[in-house]
Amino acid sequence: MARVLIAEHNQTVANYLAASLKKAGNIVEVVDNYLDAWRAASRNSFDILMVDVVMPGIDGFVLAQKILQD
């Protein structure tokens, strides 16, 4: 079982990923923007970070880099 953070602004994609991961027994948190993802990652420890590469604000690569640095 893994703790997974999904940062995805497309609700349909986010719901599909979350349902699939939960069905496999994982603990999943879903956010729809980079700022909430950054906040969630600073509050909790996640094993896996799934980010949308093209998000409003900053892209997923920058978000992942910031989270890893923190």
Side-chain angles (χ1 to χ4, degrees):
M1 174 171 44
R3 291 187 50 81
V4 182
L5 175 60
I6 299 172
E8 171 60 63
H9 74 280
N10 182 314
Q11 197 62 39
T12 303
V13 173
N15 289 340
Y16 175 77
L17 290 171
S20 298
L21 289 165
K22 286 178 183 178
K23 186 176 180 180
N26 298 291
I27 299 168
V28 179
E29 184 171 343
V30 179
V31 296
D32 65 357
N33 63 72
Y34 78 91
L35 190 53
D36 287 344
W38 196 358
R39 288 176 181 151
S42 68
R43 287 191 316 265
N44 300 305
S45 176
F46 293 94
D47 302 306
I48 300 169
L49 173 62
M50 297 181 76
V51 296
D52 184 353
V53 174
V54 182
M55 279 194 304
I58 63 173
D59 67 45
F61 295 115
V62 174
L63 173 62
Q65 184 178 28
K66 287 184 176 292
I67 290 173
L68 287 171
Q69 288 174 347
D70 289 346

